[in-house]
């Protein structure tokens, strides 16, 4: 009878009173934990890369992290990190953690001269839509401002931006995943500044999901204890050897 996700899944009912079976609850929980691990890790890793390549955005995101007056951020604190949210969306556009989404046609349909029969399996590749110049300004450029309210390029088409899928089967972890990444970045930005070596360009291993082939080398520079504590009201930590 708790308010945790497992309890809510066990008690969830349709208007007709139908509930998940035990196997369905298990499947959903396994999927939630898997999605919260791999895809969020990939997105956070790529965000570190692009903030290393774009130090002005790293500073913008750091300013937001320092403005959060707590070591234990609330939902409201995370919502206040607007620039960080824009950067996350842009990273998910450039490198979608899931390289394709699988769907089954529910009726016969023709798409651009191709016949798709009911029951056919279709693989949709988000990276294609994410770089279509008719929807995105300079699609190969890192530009988080494209998601701002003034530009809203992701609203030009219902499926222009689909890192979490779309329609009725959109990822259940959409908002949870963004909260995770913001929380990770809040602490990382407060504690460190980072740089990439020389003219480093990332290369991906696409064996399963897109991961850096070389584990992404970065130079982490610890920020001073006084700088870190200034935003949280905490006393500086004592360094230990």
């Amino acid at each position: 009878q708790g308010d945790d996700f497992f309890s809510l899944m066990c008690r969830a009912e349709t208007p007709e009173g139908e509930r998940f079976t035990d196997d369905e609850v298990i499947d959903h929980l396994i999927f939630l934990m898997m999605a919260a691990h791999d895809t969020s890790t990939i997105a956070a890793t790529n965000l570190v890369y692009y903030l290393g390549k774009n130090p002005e955005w790293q500073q913008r995101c750091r300013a937001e992290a320092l403005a959060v007056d707590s070591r234990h951020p609330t939902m409201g604190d995370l919502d206040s990190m607007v620039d960080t949210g824009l950067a996350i969306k842009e990273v998910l556009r450039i490198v979608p953690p899931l390289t394709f989404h699988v769907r089954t046609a529910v009726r016969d349909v023709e798409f651009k001269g191709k016949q798709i029969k009911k029951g056919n399996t279709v693989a949709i590749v988000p990276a294609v839509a994410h770089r279509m110049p008719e929807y995105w300004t300079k699609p190969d450029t890192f530009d988080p401002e494209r998601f701002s309210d003034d530009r809203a390029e992701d609203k030009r088409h219902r499926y222009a931006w689909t890192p979490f899928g779309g329609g009725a089967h959109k990822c259940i972890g959409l908002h949870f995943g963004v909260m995770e990444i913001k929380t990770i970045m809040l602490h990382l930005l407060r504690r460190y500044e980072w740089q990439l070596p020389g003219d480093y360009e990332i290369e991906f291993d696409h064996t399963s999901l897109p991961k850096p082939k070389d584990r992404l080398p970065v130079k982490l520079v610890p920020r001073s204890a006084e700088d870190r504590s200034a935003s949280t009201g905490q006393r500086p930590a004592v360094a230990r050897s």
Side-chain angles (χ1 to χ4, degrees):
Q1 297 301 312
D3 59 1
D4 57 276
F5 191 80
F6 171 68
S7 298
L8 294 175
M9 290 288 291
C10 290
R11 299 199 306 271
E13 288 188 359
T14 67
E16 293 75 29
E18 297 177 339
R19 290 192 174 196
F20 290 120
T21 66
D22 288 354
D23 285 343
E24 288 171 336
V25 170
I26 292 168
D27 285 344
H28 280 302
L29 288 170
I30 289 174
F31 180 78
L32 179 70
M33 289 186 287
M34 177 192 73
H37 174 72
D38 276 355
T39 52
S40 296
T41 299
I42 289 169
T45 299
N46 288 321
L47 184 55
V48 167
Y49 170 71
Y50 279 99
L51 293 184
K53 295 282 284 187
N54 299 271
E56 70 283 2
W57 269 95
Q58 185 179 149
Q59 292 303 327
R60 286 177 65 163
C61 293
R62 180 170 294 107
E64 288 186 329
L66 295 175
V68 175
D69 190 25
S70 172
R71 295 180 66 182
H72 306 286
T74 63
M75 286 281 292
D77 292 329
L78 298 178
D79 286 341
S80 73
M81 298 172 65
V82 176
D83 282 347
T84 306
L86 298 180
I88 291 171
K89 285 186 173 182
E90 177 68 336
V91 164
L92 291 171
R93 181 190 71 85
I94 297 173
V95 189
L98 292 179
T99 52
F100 62 91
H101 306 294
V102 178
R103 296 290 185 266
T104 301
V106 296
R107 63 180 182 274
D108 293 348
V109 64
E110 180 179 323
F111 181 74
K112 293 192 174 183
K114 302 293 184 181
Q115 298 296 323
I116 301 172
K117 298 295 185 181
K118 179 179 179 180
N120 284 170
T121 299
V122 180
I124 299 111
V125 181
V128 175
H130 288 185
R131 292 177 184 260
M132 295 175 71
E134 54 264 51
Y135 303 116
W136 306 99
T137 304
K138 296 182 179 179
D140 295 329
T141 302
F142 178 77
D143 180 12
E145 290 281 5
R146 69 175 78 250
F147 289 95
S148 65
D149 291 339
D150 291 340
R151 290 172 60 183
E153 294 185 6
D154 56 315
K155 301 296 194 297
R156 292 176 176 176
H157 190 285
R158 183 181 179 187
Y159 295 110
W161 186 76
T162 57
F164 298 97
H169 296 283
K170 186 180 292 186
C171 176
I172 193 174
L174 188 161
H175 299 294
F176 178 71
V178 172
M179 287 192 301
E180 268 192 317
I181 299 164
K182 280 188 175 182
T183 303
I184 292 168
M185 297 309 299
L186 181 142
H187 294 289
L188 189 62
L189 288 160
R190 282 176 170 177
R191 298 180 64 179
Y192 298 99
E193 296 182 11
W194 62 87
Q195 304 167 352
L196 300 171
D199 57 354
Y200 173 81
E201 297 288 339
I202 196 168
E203 291 187 32
F204 292 102
D205 177 355
H206 289 281
T207 303
S208 55
L209 302 178
K211 299 180 181 180
K213 287 184 177 180
D214 52 9
R215 299 177 64 82
L216 184 59
V218 296
K219 179 181 179 181
L220 288 174
V221 180
R223 303 181 72 247
S224 70
E226 288 77 13
D227 286 342
R228 296 200 306 270
S229 61
S231 65
T232 61
Q234 302 293 320
R235 295 179 60 185
V238 178
R240 300 180 180 180
S241 59

